[in-house]
Amino acid sequence: MIAKLSVARGDGRVELEVEAPEWATVLDALEIATSKKGTTEARRHGGREKEGEGQKGKEEKGTGSGREWNDVDVLYRHSCHHGSCGVCGALVNGRPALMCRTPLRELPSGVVRLDPLPYATVIADLAVEPGPLFDSLPGFGYLRPPAREELPPVPDPAPLPGAPAERPRERFEDCIECGLCLAACPVLVPEGAEGSDEAPDARRPFVGPAALAMARRELAKKGPLSGPARTLAAAPDGVAACDRAFECSRVCPRGVAPGRLIEELRRGT
Amino acid sequence: MAFEIPRVDPLPFRVAVIGGGGTGAALAWDLALRGFRVVIFERGEFLSGTTGRHHGQLHSGARYASGDPEIARECMAETLALRRLVPDAIEYNGGLFVALDGEEAAYGGRFAEACAEAGIPAREVSPARARELEPGLSSRVERAFLVPDGTFDAWRVPAAFLAGARELGAELRPWTGVVGFDATDGRVTAARVRDRARAAAENRIEADCFVIACGAWGGTVGALAGLEVPVTPAAGSMLAVKGRLCDMVISRLRPPGDGDILVPQRGLSIIGSTQRLVESPDALLPTDEEIAFLRQSGAALAPAFADAEIDSAWCAARPLFGSALDEAAGRAASRDFAVLDHETDGMAGIASVVGGKATTLRVMAEKAADLVCRKLGVERSCRTLETAPPSWRDLYRGRAP
Ligand SMILES: Cc1cc2nc3c(=O)[nH]c(=O)nc-3n(C[C@H](O)[C@H](O)[C@H](O)COP(=O)(O)OP(=O)(O)OC[C@H]3O[C@@H](n4cnc5c(N)ncnc54)[C@H](O)[C@@H]3O)c2cc1C
Ligand code: SF4
Ligand code: FES
């Protein structure tokens, strides 16, 4: 299929057009379109690069040298390509999503609009600095038992010194720390504030859905003993600052349901 | 940040690491711990090459024991080390090697001997016990061995090393690729880098030593300095379905081949992989044939894989050590890694680290940093075995505007 992408670049946009397999994701298409291979393809399919107007501080590209890897140089974050690292978030047609888990065929036909996530500072194009997300996250542990309680513990063929020969099964928490819930949160990113310079001032102090979801998970694992989790939830920028929009649960790519977890904290369960 | 890393006296040398994958990340951390001034260049976001995309198997070495006991031994040591150093990014549930036919069952004897020889505690269990531990396993299992494999988070382990390097003052330069080198009198003195975030501004960066840690891109980057770095890129595809079909890593009891490892990953199950040589490691995608093959291979190990909903299919560039490998020999030939001092090729001031796997990123970095020390006449030993890095979350903390 031919994928058409319109990617934010400063005040303008870059239009890309590329041939991709039927099952390809937005990230696949973006990666092909911005690689050497892809740009050859793109040309073959009548692709073109349009520079946005009114760009500031960007050199005109499309001619000249210095473009060693890409003919169309678009900055975007990516790593695992299967929804596990959490770095490839973007606004896909205006909605926060992981590009690697958004198949093109599930989107309406036509041009796919890609914009950077609104909660963070833009480095360039789609690439953001995820500092605000990680600043919000507590330092809680990342492992939990898998849900299948009927299964026996696993034998440990190489126990660490002093450790028992069998160990409880473990798995990572579901949250991949992608920040989509922050991007979707109307408290953190008020309507219409996206991309506007006023945005940060318009924000009320709110630690955000990801941190509160983690606090709820920590309480589930450690019980009332987890003072830090309780403190985080009870702070003025904690549960009390949540407006119950539940946008976080709608966009979460890993089914963490932060909105529900926040409600559980609110009810003290 | 409550985390305190014990520091040593700073050294008067600047080392430039080129490539921000797992190997470069571990190298930046190792060099910074030894007291070097470190700068690390990555042309994209960190971990956007092969590292983030891998399968996530923390190799105990059992897979390699009958082929190469040395690699196996090294994997075992690194598995234990990483468990101590980054426990939060490892699901340590062990692994099972299972025979699905008579031929594979017969391989069991050689497998057990080879593991014993490499110091890997593999233990045979009955097929019934294997299926008690992992009820999703095929009922065709004829023989099974428990091994100390695990699963790790492909992004979070190396991100923790980068966070540690950052904490020690290393200069992290994502979006900045090396586009050339300046050399005088047979010595590389500077790299020319292009900052993609700043409208392709090109800068000249001087350092006392450069190390190419560009994985499958090592050949391309080496060529910029007129060097022949022996790396062959090979594409490896993986397929994830929804549903966690196992907690342990399940492997076929046979010599390493395609479609023979099933790895759990949060709520997903991933089967891998395949291998085909490619000209360029950029923008690889699985082929339809590979996806169909992987689907079948997953179903052979865990029948539920056959009808589970596909979550994702993707492809990564394997950095095979060696230059003129034919496709058939590729897999057996080169899971190993090497640290190359290009002074032997007539170019001083530059080295490469090639091949390897994500499980061995720390020891690859140790060997590369040892070489840097020798080249610069520094006597500082490796400290990464006894120093745990901070959390991966620290990589981006405090970077708000
Ligand atoms: C399909 C597959 C499955 C695998 N599964 C496993 C597994 O289960 N367990 C395991 O332990 N290992 C596994 N591996 C192996 C492992 O993923 C790799 O060996 C390892 O990730 C390589 O890391 P690296 O840092 O050397 O390379 P990379 O991660 O590729 O890093 C090199 C970096 O250099 C950058 N770069 C390139 N050119 C330049 C330039 N000019 N300037 C600056 N930077 C540049 C690239 O962008 C890249 O990020 C697997 C590999 C494949 C292919
Ligand atoms: S709760 Fe969901 S959306 Fe929020 S950071 Fe975690 S995985 Fe992402
Ligand atoms: S690339 Fe890792 S979540 Fe999309």
Side-chain angles (χ1 to χ4, degrees):
Chain A
M1 70 192 292
I2 307 269
K4 296 180 185 172
L5 309 175
S6 167
V7 184
R9 166 162 293 171
D11 297 334
R13 306 196 71 82
V14 181
E15 313 292 331
L16 303 169
E17 202 171 299
V18 74
E19 170 83 43
E22 288 305 316
W23 46 264
T25 64
V26 170
L27 180 59
D28 292 333
L30 187 56
E31 196 180 30
I32 311 170
T34 55
S35 73
K36 272 225 152 90
K37 284 174 204 168
T39 42
T40 327
E41 292 274 294
R43 287 219 192 79
R44 204 165 347 120
H45 292 283
R48 69 218 173 274
E49 179 187 12
K50 257 197 313 221
E51 287 289 315
E53 280 162 24
Q55 268 188 59
K56 293 175 214 116
K58 280 261 177 194
E59 262 173 30
E60 196 57 35
K61 292 184 193 162
T63 53
S65 61
R67 296 181 299 152
E68 278 63 28
W69 311 285
N70 316 323
D71 284 351
V72 183
D73 197 19
V74 173
L75 268 61
Y76 59 98
R77 305 179 67 224
H78 65 122
S79 180
C80 72
H81 290 234
H82 63 281
S84 123
C85 68
V87 311
C88 72
L91 294 180
V92 179
N93 290 338
R95 236 182 123 59
L98 295 179
M99 293 190 287
C100 73
R101 294 186 84 248
T102 308
L104 290 163
R105 61 165 177 242
E106 287 176 15
L107 297 172
S109 60
V111 180
V112 180
R113 266 181 91 84
L114 299 176
D115 293 272
L117 288 183
Y119 75 86
T121 329
V122 177
I123 297 167
D125 309 336
L126 301 178
V128 295
E129 187 66 81
L133 163 69
F134 287 96
D135 284 339
S136 81
L137 299 183
F140 300 146
Y142 201 54
L143 291 169
R144 68 169 174 99
R148 303 182 295 169
E149 271 142 24
E150 73 285 2
L151 296 181
V154 284
D156 185 346
L160 294 177
E166 292 197 326
R167 53 202 329 273
R169 288 163 193 254
E170 57 189 20
R171 61 164 287 185
F172 299 132
E173 287 289 353
D174 279 321
C175 175
I176 53 169
E177 303 171 356
C178 66
L180 295 190
C181 53
L182 277 69
C185 175
V187 176
L188 290 170
V189 186
E191 184 109 34
E194 276 159 42
S196 109
D197 292 341
E198 268 79 12
D201 305 328
R203 290 172 200 181
R204 269 190 276 137
F206 179 38
V207 69
L212 289 174
M214 281 186 186
R216 177 68 189 88
R217 294 287 315 138
E218 181 75 356
L219 286 170
K221 287 188 283 191
K222 299 219 173 126
L225 287 178
S226 179
R230 290 218 170 280
T231 313
L232 200 155
D237 69 344
V239 171
C242 162
D243 272 358
R244 299 176 158 170
F246 290 99
E247 282 302 323
C248 50
S249 292
R250 278 177 210 116
V251 299
C252 176
R254 280 288 166 231
V256 174
R260 178 167 56 76
L261 298 181
I262 295 172
E263 284 313 291
E264 288 174 7
L265 287 173
R266 208 189 293 273
R267 290 196 309 265
T269 52
Chain B
M1 230 177 294
F3 195 83
E4 276 289 331
I5 304 167
R7 318 219 171 192
V8 296
D9 286 342
L11 291 162
F13 297 111
R14 183 185 210 205
V15 183
V17 177
I18 304 164
T23 310
L27 180 56
W29 166 238
D30 185 314
L31 290 166
L33 271 176
R34 293 189 206 218
F36 287 101
R37 279 168 57 211
V38 178
V39 54
I40 175 167
F41 297 107
E42 164 57 51
R43 67 172 184 168
E45 171 62 297
F46 283 109
L47 313 174
S48 60
T50 301
T51 297
R53 297 181 208 199
H54 73 69
H55 213 162
Q57 181 183 18
L58 185 63
H59 284 287
S60 66
R63 181 175 173 80
Y64 308 110
S66 57
D68 190 326
E70 266 327 295
I71 301 180
R73 216 173 269 285
E74 204 161 58
C75 284
M76 186 70 244
E78 290 308 305
T79 291
L80 296 177
L82 291 178
R83 261 187 84 186
R84 262 190 306 106
L85 296 167
V86 274
D88 237 27
I90 296 173
E91 295 179 358
Y92 200 66
N93 294 316
L96 275 171
F97 274 72
V98 297
L100 297 183
D101 59 33
E103 199 181 321
E104 291 181 5
Y107 178 69
R110 199 176 128 207
F111 175 82
E113 265 170 42
C115 284
E117 202 180 310
I120 298 162
R123 180 152 58 84
E124 182 154 16
V125 293
S126 70
R129 171 68 171 147
R131 295 190 62 214
E132 182 197 9
L133 285 166
E134 287 299 355
L137 262 182
S138 162
S139 57
R140 282 165 53 209
V141 171
E142 291 187 22
R143 215 175 163 183
F145 288 85
L146 278 172
V147 299
D149 282 347
T151 302
F152 68 127
D153 188 303
W155 189 83
R156 286 173 174 77
V157 168
F161 289 129
L162 283 170
R166 177 184 180 223
E167 177 73 12
L168 290 173
E171 200 187 328
L172 307 190
R173 299 283 305 272
W175 315 112
T176 307
V178 168
V179 295
F181 292 97
D182 290 345
T184 29
D185 304 329
R187 159 174 294 273
V188 173
T189 50
R192 276 180 285 119
V193 303
R194 193 170 70 99
D195 185 341
R196 296 171 59 202
R198 289 189 185 69
E202 210 174 290
N203 296 304
R204 213 176 150 270
I205 308 284
E206 293 184 358
D208 300 290
C209 189
F210 295 83
V211 186
I212 302 173
C214 288
W217 289 266
T220 331
V221 176
L224 298 174
L227 297 164
E228 241 178 74
V229 178
V231 188
T232 307
S237 293
M238 282 154 289
L239 179 69
V241 294
K242 294 192 203 307
R244 188 174 169 101
L245 303 176
C246 52
D247 291 319
M248 310 172 91
V249 176
I250 316 282
S251 307
R252 288 289 279 270
L253 186 58
R254 64 184 187 197
D258 287 347
D260 54 357
I261 311 173
L262 184 61
V263 181
Q265 146 82 247
R266 293 186 185 76
L268 305 177
S269 302
I270 304 172
I271 184 82
S273 65
T274 59
Q275 184 155 298
R276 98 187 104 91
L277 298 187
V278 285
E279 253 169 58
S280 155
D282 285 328
L284 300 173
L285 283 182
T287 64
D288 292 341
E289 295 74 38
E290 284 168 347
I291 293 174
F293 164 79
L294 288 170
R295 176 77 123 170
Q296 276 173 9
S297 309
L301 285 165
F305 201 96
D307 301 315
E309 189 187 337
I310 291 186
D311 184 89
S312 11
W314 71 103
C315 191
R318 199 173 262 120
L320 294 178
F321 169 42
S323 28
L325 297 166
D326 67 327
E327 202 152 342
R331 192 179 292 275
S334 51
R335 285 310 175 106
D336 215 345
F337 72 87
V339 170
L340 309 171
D341 183 352
H342 294 301
E343 195 145 3
T344 58
D345 309 320
M347 190 60 82
I350 186 164
S352 289
V353 46
V354 290
K357 49 190 135 295
T359 303
T360 54
L361 82 179
R362 193 212 58 85
V363 65
M364 291 166 74
E366 174 179 342
K367 299 285 195 274
D370 284 348
L371 173 63
V372 169
C373 284
R374 284 198 302 279
K375 285 174 81 66
L376 295 173
V378 168
E379 280 186 39
R380 289 268 170 101
S381 50
C382 177
R383 297 172 61 217
T384 55
L385 267 181
E386 72 262 11
T387 319
S391 164
W392 62 81
R393 290 173 188 143
D394 288 352
L395 177 52
Y396 295 104
R397 273 192 181 133
R399 291 223 221 155

